[in-house]
Amino acid sequence: MFAMLPVNLKLAVRSLNRNRLRTLLTMLGIIIGVAAVLTMVALGTGARASVEGEVGSAGTNIIFVRAGNYTRGGDAVGIVSGRGAATTLVAGDADAIRAGVSGIKALSPGVALRTFIASGSSRAFTRVQGIDSGFAAIYSWNMSAGRMLDSAAAAPEAVLGANLAATLFGADTDPLGQMIQVRDSAYRVVGVSDGQAEDHADVLFVPWQTLQKSLGQNHLDTITLAAEKAGESSRIASDITNLLRERHGITGTPSAGYLAGQGGVGGVPDDFTVETQAAQALTKGLYTPAAAFALANLPKLDEVTLEEMADTLDRASDTMTALLASIAGVSLIVGGIGIMNIMLVSITERTREIGLRMAAGARSGDVALQFLIEAVTLSMVGGLVGLVLGLVSAQLIGWSLGWPTTVSLGAMALAIGIAASVGLVFGSYPARRAAQLDPIEALRTE
Amino acid sequence: MPVISLQNLKKVYKLGDNTVNALRGVSLDIEEGEFVAITGPSGSGKSTMMHILGCLDRPTEGHYLLNGNDVSNLSRDELADIRNRQIGFVFQGFNLLPRTTAAENVEVPLLYSRPVLPASERRARALEALRAMGLTDRAFHHPSQLSGGQQQRVAIARALVNRPTLILADEPTGNLDTATSIEVMRLLQELREKQKITIVLITHEPDIAAYGTRIIAVRDGIIISDKPNVPRRVSDEPEALPLAAVG
Ligand SMILES: Nc1ncnc2c1ncn2[C@@H]1O[C@H](COP(=O)(O)OP(=O)(O)O)[C@@H](O)[C@H]1O
Ligand SMILES: [Mg+2]
């Protein structure tokens, strides 16, 4: 059988070449089918890879509790217009969360301001963040010099981000032990953080209690915490919401949907906001338009976790995959039927040739093989054209959706394999018909 | 041992309620090197006999021994192998593959040889067979570029290429003019004389039958006469032409 492959291939190519337009039209179904399969695989794996990348790089699931809430442009409109100030988030809330909500790996109260800071003759306008030692665990900091702040002491000590250290002290001076003036207080530098998340490299970190005192405020601006297990962010966010509502005396059921967590229409709005990292990432535009589209209908957007987001994106790409799979399936079947049809036509046209080959000693299997190879050649050439088309379309769709696409060699092999099987499956009936022809009858046909 | 031995061969076709007794008991031996012409009116069973002799069909009753082996009840594929190795066909309509060179047409039987012949040997043998038919310079022409006589010579080359013991020719001159017919008959005579190939020729033309060494007449499915014949020579023909002039 394999020894005859070159001969059969030559015969197949010659026969297909003889009716080029017919061959092309017949291949169309396969071309579209294979292109769809390839696009499908490319988008599917691309989406998955991008989500996995996000989830992987985020590492932990960080949850933010912020004082204040979004206010609306008007009751009827419900457009989010900004976050109102609130002074109701206090250290007691942080303690209560720590004590009352399970699954928290680390937590840090937060106070923040933007101001001028000075050290000797150096001055800088930057963010000053009041935190406690838990902050290092939340963001998995390593200290590139010195040590972390000591929560218990709440001493006038400071930790700097790497960029800020360079700005204030230059490359030659050791920042450790230097004094930094913020408003009315002086802080001694005890460490330099390697933190790169958000803008940590440019921030001056001091104990939150000290900063509160310096600002003369009793409330916190934020509470930042990290969930122990990545998948628990959503549950923790909702526990915190319930706990804080209770502590702040907020009643009423929040409505579902995008504005959930801002308090239901008619209810008292929350005076705090609980956000997860995923929602933050989304609002920062780290996600692609495709992701935004996928997330648009997610309830409780603020509380969504990266896992849920990954799930949703997965589902979105599954939907896309299912759609493309049905296109692929239908075109492959239509293409297959086209191949079957054209092979039957070809066999009718070449009945005499078949009779002659049989008279010359071709066995049934030889005749079947000849036409099977012709069908498979037809579908494989269609598959190759579809492959090229699929690569182009995957690239175009990926580019217009902002959705990364990857096509592995395996996927290409799969596409060609599918094309070949279509030829094999739909070519086998015509091939068998040819093989079963009666040589005498076949020789008699005109 | 005869090349062909038919023993009370019968063939019945069933068409719905009708049965046609195409062959009604044919017994016959053909020895190696004979050139047998089978004649008879249309519908007498000549082609039916030819199909059975050519292992394209099986008898309803009786036995057919080809080179001593009973092939009456072999399977389709076994018959295919026998056709491939032992029988060469020459048809009235040439039956060459269109848009395919003469050499490739001649190679067709070699494609189905077992074990498989390498392509180079297939080509060499095809060219050799074409040379024997005086067609070396037409080896790479398509049938449409050849005259009727040349096409039939390609068909004979194809019948010969696998060195069969038997050549079956069903009205090989039916589509040819007289001069070309004579030339084809001369080639067949030469094959018999030089290569000891047994030839069975079907024709309804007595002039063509006269080239055989034996003439068998059939009618209504039985042999009505079977006589040796002194074959007519091409040189006897007033209109005989040298090979080169045959177009
Ligand atoms: N496939 C067939 N089915 C039915 N009848 C057939 C078939 N082939 C031949 N016959 C009949 O058998 C008889 C002999 O036919 P055939 O051998 O072709 O005669 P010839 O070749 O001498 O003209 C005829 O009556 C013909 O109609
Ligand atoms: Mg006939």
Side-chain angles (χ1 to χ4, degrees), chain A residues 24 34 50 63 80 99 176-177 261 268 311 315 356 434 445:
Chain A
L24 183 72
V34 167
S50 87
I63 301 162
V80 175
L176 297 184
V268 180
D311 271 4
R315 254 178 284 134
L356 174 83
T445 35

Side-chain angles (χ1 to χ4, degrees), chain A residues 438 440-441 444, chain B residues 11-15 20-23 40-51 57 170-171 202 218 221:
Chain A
D438 174 31
I440 299 168
E441 293 294 327
R444 250 206 287 268
Chain B
K11 181 74 188 180
V12 181
Y13 291 110
K14 288 203 165 62
L15 287 171
V20 179
N21 290 298
L23 293 178
S42 178
S44 55
K46 302 185 299 291
S47 294
T48 302
M49 204 161 132
M50 168 74 103
H51 294 150
D57 204 355
D170 193 349
E171 304 272 7
I202 285 184
V218 290

Side-chain angles (χ1 to χ4, degrees), chain B residues 131-151:
Chain B
R131 197 191 55 76
M133 291 296 115
L135 286 170
T136 300
D137 56 343
R138 296 286 188 274
F140 300 102
H141 286 54
H142 288 182
S144 59
Q145 299 164 321
L146 299 174
S147 71
Q150 287 170 331
Q151 288 186 53

